């Protein structure tokens, strides 16, 4: 058992176990970490990210658990832009697009240059078929961080949808 005042050890254990693909162990460590950290918001949020990426969206019980944890974070801090974005991300990937859009917009109302929310709102518009507006949000994300791969991938997807294959090839060569 790790001392309560040495929370960094939990983060290091999580990292090492992720590298070793020991996901069950990561789950156990996170449960201890959440309790000894007194349910710190960033620990709860990071736990949700772990569960989403390693357990996915197909498991509806996982989605419900992640939504309830993020809801707890937002109840404690209504201006937690990361939690708003993550909540929107879960909704977007669970088919509740309109509510997802509201969460991304609220997130951007708090932190307008948050690259993940700009990219996610772009994905919303991409899925709705509004390629022009989608591209504008991907551009906003890239203005903040030119190396943000998801926004590049989404811009590339637009070029392919538009059947601009030569431009897509040029874009790939430009960003690699």
């Amino acid at each position: 058992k790790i001392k309560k005042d040495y929370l960094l050890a939990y983060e290091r254990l999580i990292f090492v176990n992720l590298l070793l693909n020991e996901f069950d162990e990561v789950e156990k460590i996170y449960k201890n970490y959440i309790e000894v950290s007194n349910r710190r918001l960033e620990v709860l949020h990071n736990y949700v990210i772990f569960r989403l990426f390693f357990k996915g969206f197909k498991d509806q019980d996982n989605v419900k658990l992640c939504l309830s944890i993020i809801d707890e974070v937002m109840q404690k801090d209504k201006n937690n832009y990361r939690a708003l974005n993550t909540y929107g991300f879960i909704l977007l990937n669970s088919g509740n697009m309109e509510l997802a859009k509201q969460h991304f917009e609220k997130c951007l109302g708090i932190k307008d240059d948050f690259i993940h929310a700009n990219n996610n709102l772009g994905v919303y518009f991409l899925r709705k078929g509004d390629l022009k507006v989608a591209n504008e949000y991907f551009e906003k994300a890239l203005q903040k961080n030119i190396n943000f791969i998801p926004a590049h991938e989404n811009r590339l997807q637009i070029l392919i949808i538009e059947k601009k294959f030569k431009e897509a090839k040029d874009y790939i060569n430009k960003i690699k």
Side-chain angles (χ1 to χ4, degrees):
K1 191 90 173 167
I2 299 170
K3 291 182 182 178
K4 192 173 185 173
D5 60 344
Y6 195 58
L7 297 179
L8 183 59
Y10 284 96
E11 293 174 20
R12 290 181 178 154
L13 275 172
I14 289 166
F15 179 72
V16 168
N17 280 282
L18 284 172
L19 291 174
L20 295 170
N21 292 323
E22 297 286 345
F23 305 124
D24 290 337
E25 190 63 26
V26 172
E27 181 78 24
K28 291 176 194 171
I29 295 166
Y30 256 121
K31 287 182 178 180
N32 287 330
Y33 188 20
I34 288 168
E35 294 316 310
V36 297
S37 73
N38 199 25
R39 301 188 73 76
R40 283 173 66 182
L41 301 184
E42 66 269 15
V43 175
L44 290 168
H45 184 256
N46 290 342
Y47 177 58
V48 167
I49 299 299
F50 159 72
R51 289 194 63 97
L52 290 174
F53 283 98
F54 293 99
K55 301 219 183 241
F57 292 92
K58 291 181 182 174
D59 179 350
Q60 286 303 304
D61 290 335
N62 184 54
V63 171
K64 288 176 187 173
L65 176 64
C66 289
L67 285 171
S68 72
I69 293 169
I70 288 296
D71 193 47
E72 177 185 342
V73 172
M74 291 189 312
Q75 285 178 16
K76 293 177 180 177
D77 179 2
K78 293 186 184 335
N79 291 321
N80 190 315
Y81 63 91
R82 285 186 171 92
L84 284 163
N85 179 67
T86 300
Y87 202 94
F89 182 77
I90 296 169
L91 294 169
L92 183 69
N93 289 288
S94 299
N96 196 338
M97 291 185 40
E98 296 309 314
L99 192 54
K101 179 183 181 231
Q102 291 173 24
H103 280 78
F104 299 140
E105 290 172 337
K106 188 172 180 182
C107 173
L108 291 171
I110 296 167
K111 185 165 176 61
D112 68 344
D113 64 347
F114 189 51
I115 59 175
H116 297 281
N118 276 296
N119 184 68
N120 289 337
L121 197 50
V123 170
Y124 164 84
F125 283 105
L126 180 63
R127 290 182 184 174
K128 289 297 235 179
D130 193 337
L131 305 182
K132 183 178 184 290
V133 175
N135 199 49
E136 290 170 9
Y137 281 102
F138 301 141
E139 271 299 312
K140 286 180 185 180
L142 291 168
Q143 286 171 3
K144 185 68 178 166
N145 180 351
I146 193 65
N147 297 314
F148 188 60
I149 301 298
H152 284 298
E153 290 171 341
N154 290 324
R155 289 191 72 213
L156 184 60
Q157 186 176 354
I158 289 173
L159 292 172
I160 292 168
I161 289 168
E162 295 176 332
K163 299 187 181 340
K164 296 179 179 177
F165 304 120
K166 170 81 169 90
E167 287 180 45
K169 180 182 174 186
D170 293 343
Y171 188 75
I172 291 169
N173 287 326
K174 177 183 154 193
I175 63 173
K176 65 178 174 175

